[in-house]
Amino acid sequence: MTLDDLRVFVAVCRAGSLSAVARDLGCTQSAVSQHVKRLERETGVSLLERQPRGAVPTEAGRVLQDAAADGIAGLDLALRRLKDLVNGDRGSVRVTTGATTVRHFMSEAVVSFRQRYPKVSLEFQTEYSSRSCFDALTANNLDLAWITIGGPVRGIEQRPVADLPWVLAVRADDPLADRLHVEADDLRDVRLIRPPESSTSGTRLDAAFNELGVRIRSDTSVADWDAALLLTELGLGHAVVPAVPGRRVPGSHGPLRLVPIPVLPPLSVGWAVRRWDALTPIAREFADTVARSCAERAADATAS
């Protein structure tokens, strides 16, 4: 049993396909299969169940997958830390984020960080949901994931950075545009542009509306908050979005108005890592820089 055997096996479990892993590794499907067969010979159990559309781990396979994934992630992190100790301030920070995260939460922090650590490489990998960020964090050699804070996730530690109040985005000529805030009843007859139901923020929003007894009318779904604002600006509906740090609420966004919805509980966002105490010093410094920047922008918006 080799480390490569375990890496390939974990990759197959996540991809659900031997051929997909073979393409990623630039080898044959037979070579991938040999890694799995070697593990099965040494463990004495079947680890994968072949299906018409791919392969899934057996019960024994899931046990080995969980243990191997944790071990590989820990080893990769240790190797990264050793490399950074040797390189000093020439290390790297690898982050997985949503499509608009860097612009809304990290732009000023990235500039500040690069000025202080010009030799450190910042690498960003885009994902489109907190769930996919968690998967990327555990599957790849990444340091940090920016996520919507949610329930416990096995093998992941979460740290809140900001609580974002929800606002209703409306056109400036909308009857609700001059309101200081809107209540749940104001939204009953409003057609909303909403985030995907599979997203953590969309799930939170649905749960909050259900608790308030509000049935939402929506026939438009978007991948991110910026797209929702753009469609609102084009007159295709209204959008309930989180107020990102630094954006004044109540406030304007070009031809849009952002009206607070105080009855909705804020959306908590922040960092996720495999282990905070195992982060490299330079990755921890980047995480802290982003947190400070968010706090400063929120304070400036409140003061103005």
Side-chain angles (χ1 to χ4, degrees):
M1 180 185 303
T2 68
L3 184 58
D4 281 345
D5 292 337
L6 293 172
R7 287 186 187 277
V8 170
F9 172 68
V10 170
V12 171
C13 291
R14 288 184 171 132
S17 167
L18 278 75
S19 59
V21 173
R23 286 194 300 272
D24 289 343
L25 296 178
C27 64
T28 65
Q29 184 171 331
S30 175
V32 172
S33 181
Q34 287 303 313
H35 285 287
V36 177
K37 288 179 179 178
R38 186 157 45 236
L39 290 175
E40 291 180 328
R41 284 197 301 270
E42 295 198 28
T43 60
V45 295
S46 176
L47 299 174
L48 287 179
E49 178 183 345
R50 272 70 170 184
Q51 297 182 344
R53 294 181 176 272
V56 296
T58 62
E59 182 177 356
R62 287 193 293 272
V63 172
L64 181 60
Q65 178 193 4
D66 290 342
D70 289 345
I72 290 169
L75 179 59
D76 286 342
L77 208 56
L79 293 174
R80 285 277 313 284
R81 294 196 71 180
L82 289 174
K83 184 177 180 180
D84 285 348
L85 286 174
V86 173
N87 291 335
D89 62 354
R90 296 176 182 268
S92 63
V93 180
R94 297 170 181 166
V95 183
T96 178
T97 72
T100 60
T101 297
V102 174
R103 178 168 66 255
H104 288 315
F105 297 96
M106 301 183 189
S107 55
E108 295 176 5
V110 167
V111 173
S112 173
F113 184 84
R114 289 301 300 271
Q115 289 173 342
R116 287 182 291 135
Y117 302 98
K119 297 178 182 177
V120 173
S121 171
L122 287 176
E123 303 172 20
F124 295 94
Q125 175 176 315
T126 300
E127 299 292 341
Y128 292 94
S129 70
S130 293
R131 179 70 264 173
S132 60
C133 282
F134 291 141
D135 291 342
L137 189 62
T138 56
N140 300 311
N141 193 14
L142 299 170
D143 298 298
L144 298 154
W146 183 267
I147 50 115
T148 299
I149 301 296
V153 177
R154 185 181 181 279
I156 298 290
E157 297 180 27
Q158 302 178 53
R159 179 168 296 184
V161 170
D163 288 330
L164 310 179
W166 291 96
V167 296
L168 178 68
V170 299
R171 287 173 58 92
D173 57 359
D174 189 277
L176 295 173
D178 294 328
R179 299 278 294 273
L180 293 179
H181 64 270
V182 296
E183 301 293 344
D185 286 344
D186 297 319
L187 302 174
R188 294 184 188 278
D189 296 322
V190 171
R191 188 175 300 280
L192 290 182
I193 300 163
R194 49 158 297 121
E197 294 183 5
S198 60
S199 69
T200 305
S201 56
T203 300
R204 293 288 183 80
L205 192 58
D206 287 344
F209 279 133
N210 287 338
E211 189 170 331
L212 293 170
V214 176
R215 186 180 181 87
I216 295 302
R217 299 168 56 210
S218 176
D219 54 15
T220 305
S221 178
V222 294
D224 57 63
W225 303 331
D226 283 358
L229 292 174
L230 175 60
L231 293 184
T232 301
E233 185 176 329
L234 294 174
L236 299 182
H238 302 66
V240 176
V241 298
V244 299
R247 181 175 287 166
R248 289 196 311 112
V249 178
S252 62
H253 183 69
L256 295 181
R257 297 294 181 268
L258 304 177
V259 187
I261 314 174
V263 294
L264 294 179
L267 186 72
S268 184
V269 296
W271 291 117
V273 301
R274 285 171 295 208
R275 282 178 50 199
W276 282 104
D277 61 3
L279 272 181
T280 63
I282 202 68
R284 190 178 301 113
E285 177 60 26
F286 179 74
D288 291 343
T289 300
V290 172
R292 288 194 298 269
S293 175
C294 287
E296 291 168 0
R297 292 174 63 194
D300 290 344
T302 301
S304 62

